[in-house]
Amino acid sequence: MPRDSSATKARLLDAAFTEFAAYGIAGARVDRIAESAGANKRLIYAYFGNKEQLFDEVLRRAMTAGAESVPFDVEDLPGYAGAIFDHLVARPDLMRLRLWKLLERPSATGLEPDAFRRKAGEVADAQQRGELAQGMEPADLLTMVLAAAQAWFWAAEDVGPEEITQSWSPQRLALHRSAVVEAARRMSEPKAAGE
């Protein structure tokens, strides 16, 4: 029976996501990834090159899935912030993966800078049309909206991301989500004349 390389790659990427989110690049072990995926570890090198390239592919895949799950909507930045919050509640391991990227590969680039520039360009256009607040640079406004969506996951110092979504009541999550949406609304809403 011929091997299904795409299925093996997918299993390796899923296992690598879990491993990298838990241990980062330095702490991740290729042996554990291969064992978890039910694959030979040599396939990791054959398919992805090395551990850093595997991490980059895992991150690219996660960012692409996130962009597909939470499409950018410049006309509704508060709704976009709320959708990001919901996505992170459903996948708290994404925050850990992102932190490892910032700590261990801060200069590595991928889709992120291009996507951010595109979104900031859309914000700039909306500001020019008077549809968004003009008090901040477009990139700064976008950064603040993204930060608001992620703030609850960074600020809960006494618990990990998984514990937030597992132990917080639906009411508490709803309260935090509404605060995220309100913060994004206040930052992005254009001022009325005379304000």
Side-chain angles (χ1 to χ4, degrees):
M1 172 189 285
R3 293 184 181 172
D4 183 355
S5 65
S6 60
T8 302
K9 284 180 186 178
R11 286 194 321 272
L12 285 167
L13 288 167
D14 290 342
F17 180 94
T18 301
E19 181 78 5
F20 288 132
Y23 301 105
I25 299 169
R29 297 292 171 255
V30 174
D31 292 346
R32 284 193 302 244
I33 294 169
E35 183 179 334
S36 178
N40 186 309
K41 78 175 184 176
R42 288 179 296 171
L43 290 175
I44 292 172
Y45 300 105
Y47 293 148
F48 305 105
N50 60 38
K51 191 164 62 164
E52 288 77 15
Q53 290 170 312
L54 175 59
F55 179 85
D56 292 343
E57 180 59 21
V58 166
L59 186 63
R60 186 202 63 73
R61 186 179 184 223
M63 300 299 287
T64 299
E68 291 170 359
S69 297
V70 185
F72 181 66
D73 185 358
V74 74
E75 295 177 14
D76 184 13
L77 289 182
Y80 177 62
I84 290 172
F85 180 85
D86 294 341
H87 187 68
L88 293 174
V89 165
R91 295 290 313 269
D93 46 358
L94 290 172
M95 289 298 294
R96 289 182 57 93
L97 187 69
R98 179 83 176 121
L99 279 172
W100 286 118
K101 192 269 186 209
L102 293 172
L103 289 169
E104 296 184 305
R105 290 186 56 78
S107 62
T109 59
L111 300 173
E112 299 164 84
D114 292 337
F116 185 85
R117 281 191 287 275
R118 181 187 54 76
K119 292 172 189 173
E122 290 184 43
V123 169
D125 292 343
Q127 285 176 316
Q128 287 290 335
R129 294 188 303 269
E131 296 168 2
L132 292 176
Q134 298 177 1
M136 281 191 253
E137 292 292 320
D140 295 341
L141 177 57
L142 180 57
T143 297
M144 295 300 290
V145 168
L146 293 170
Q150 300 172 35
W152 301 107
F153 301 93
W154 302 103
E157 294 179 13
D158 59 331
V159 295
E162 294 85 6
E163 294 170 282
I164 289 173
T165 58
Q166 292 170 3
S167 65
W168 287 10
S169 69
Q171 295 82 8
R172 187 172 183 192
L173 284 170
L175 180 64
H176 289 298
R177 186 188 194 284
S178 67
V180 164
V181 171
E182 179 61 16
R185 184 193 64 74
R186 287 178 182 236
M187 285 184 276
S188 63
E189 190 172 75
K191 302 278 186 224
E195 283 188 51

